[in-house]
Every structure is written in structure tokens, then in C-alpha cells.
Amino acid sequence: MNLPAAVQELCYHFLSLAPRGLMTGLYLTGGIGFGEWIEGKSDVDFVATLTHRPTDGELEQLRQAHAQMAAYSPIDFDGMHVLVSDLASDPRNLPSVPVMLHRDFRLGQLDPVVAWHELARHGVTVAGPQLSTLDIWTDTHVLKRYTVDNLDTYWRAISDQLAVSSADEPGAELDYACCWCVLGVARLHHLIVTGRMTTKSGAAHWGLDYYDPRWHRVLREALRLREGGRPEYDNQASRLQDTTDFTVYVVEAGTGRPITPSAD
């Protein structure tokens, strides 16, 4: 596929900085694989394949390469550095690997169950063997269980945080909360309901057909915050309440378990 110019430039710059002889392939996941790129909003998500687990010296080289990437572009370049053999195995057994997330380089993981499925179904080859020639582990049932668990843990905790949030918080933080939470839970619910992966914007458009009209206003607002357009709300408190209520509704619908209000 033809990559957006900014994405192609970022990837090639990373390849020029990576330690020589260590990397065998660079592949993109996330929205790019679905053809979704929103200038100023989208990140670039990647999986890089390596010849071997990096030595301490190579880890430092990777750290420096990503530091230069952060200085080079405002676009977050987030992902994992793994072995090709890792892709053929159950990602729940993946050891800690070098990861970059929001300009923080460390050893860890970044939702490998999701990443493996995105690579297999929607991944984009930038460098190295075509993804279609690689053995990539997938399991639809595991992916669905993982998604339900994500709603039941991470997003259930987020719904608790939203419940005690205030409309007096900075506008930028409230904008972020609406866009991140509404589209985040809708995206997971889409997979649970349809069995298919999608993007944040794709989840919003699906939700406008799937959910009761009660939720359409906050879905349109979240989409507007991501893609642009006219505001749906002139009252921060009303929008925050709808964001909270929608997040709670989807967590309960997706997991089949109610959210119990926290005791004061």
C-alpha cells in the first residue's frame, strides 16, 4: 500500500538510525493497516524484527535511535522489537522486549496479542520479508477473551476515574478524555460484537449504526475531536457525564458485568 508521506519518511529515518545488522524487518500495525491516517492525531505503531535479543550495547543504540526519532518528528513512533520466531508463538509467553511508547524506551510489552493479530490481518511491510511469508500466531478466541479482559480491568478502572472527574479540569484534558474513552471502548466492543478489528474512527462510525441514539451525540463528539468539525456540546459537564455514562455502558455490555459504584 502507499504510505502517507510523513509515515514513509519517519520509517525510513528509523531504518537509517537502527543498529546495523540487528534489524531484519519493519512492519506497521494500528490505523495505517486499515488505511486510516489523521494528520496531527495518528501515531505510527510498529513491530521491528531482530536477528537476536539485543546486547546491552545494542539496547543503548536502540535507545539513542529512538531519542533521535523523538527529536526528529512530533509523531509518536511506538512499538516493539522482537524476533521473527516470537511472531510464530503465543504472544502471552513473550518475554520483556525493547519497546517504545510515548517517547519512553524500556523493556516490556505492548499488547502483543493485539499486535500479532493486526500484523497477520492488516499489517504493512516497510522493510524485510513480506508479512504474508511469515508464520504469525493468531487465535480468534484468545483475542476475544483478551479484549473482554481489557474492558473488565483497564477500562473498568478508567470508568471509576471518570466518575470522580470534574468539568472544571482543563479543557484539553476533557477533550482527550472524551475522544480516548469513547473511541477506545467502542473499538473493543466492535471486536467483541463483530469478531473484526477496526480503527478508532471506524468504531465510531460503526457505533452510530449499532448503539441506541442515546449515545450518538457523544460518539459524534469523539469523532469530531479526532477528525475535526463542529462541537456537539456547549457544556463541559454534560459532555463529561455522557463520556462517563457511555464508558460505563460499554464496559458493562462488553463484559456482561455491572459496574458497582465505589463507596465514598
Side-chain angles (χ1 to χ4, degrees), residues 27-29 47 87 114-123 131 136:
Y27 307 97
L28 302 185
T29 60
V47 172
L87 300 180
V114 175
W116 271 218
H117 286 82
E118 287 189 345
L119 281 176
R121 299 174 181 178
H122 304 282
L131 283 166
I136 304 175

Side-chain angles (χ1 to χ4, degrees), residues 95-106:
S96 291
V97 297
V99 303
M100 185 69 177
L101 180 63
H102 304 322
R103 301 173 183 248
D104 176 35
F105 183 85
R106 58 182 172 79

Side-chain angles (χ1 to χ4, degrees), residues 80-126:
M80 295 181 285
H81 306 74
V82 305
L83 305 182
V84 173
S85 58
D86 290 333
L87 300 180
S89 303
D90 188 331
R92 293 171 294 179
N93 299 322
L94 183 72
S96 291
V97 297
V99 303
M100 185 69 177
L101 180 63
H102 304 322
R103 301 173 183 248
D104 176 35
F105 183 85
R106 58 182 172 79
L107 292 177
Q109 297 179 3
L110 297 178
D111 288 338
V113 171
V114 175
W116 271 218
H117 286 82
E118 287 189 345
L119 281 176
R121 299 174 181 178
H122 304 282
V124 177
T125 302
V126 176

Side-chain angles (χ1 to χ4, degrees), residues 228-251:
R230 298 185 57 141
E232 293 282 334
Y233 293 82
D234 57 12
N235 182 287
Q236 292 280 32
S238 177
R239 186 180 69 173
L240 177 58
Q241 188 62 57
D242 282 352
T243 298
T244 303
D245 290 347
F246 180 75
T247 303
V248 168
Y249 167 75
V250 174
V251 168

Side-chain angles (χ1 to χ4, degrees), residues 32-74:
I32 287 292
F34 297 84
E36 180 176 300
W37 172 255
I38 300 173
E39 200 73 36
K41 297 289 185 180
S42 295
D43 300 332
V44 176
D45 299 316
F46 74 88
V47 172
T49 53
L50 308 179
T51 58
H52 56 269
R53 303 286 181 210
T55 63
D56 289 346
E58 289 167 334
L59 277 175
E60 182 56 31
Q61 288 180 288
L62 281 174
R63 184 188 307 277
Q64 293 177 10
H66 281 290
Q68 292 179 61
M69 289 287 288
Y72 178 75
S73 172

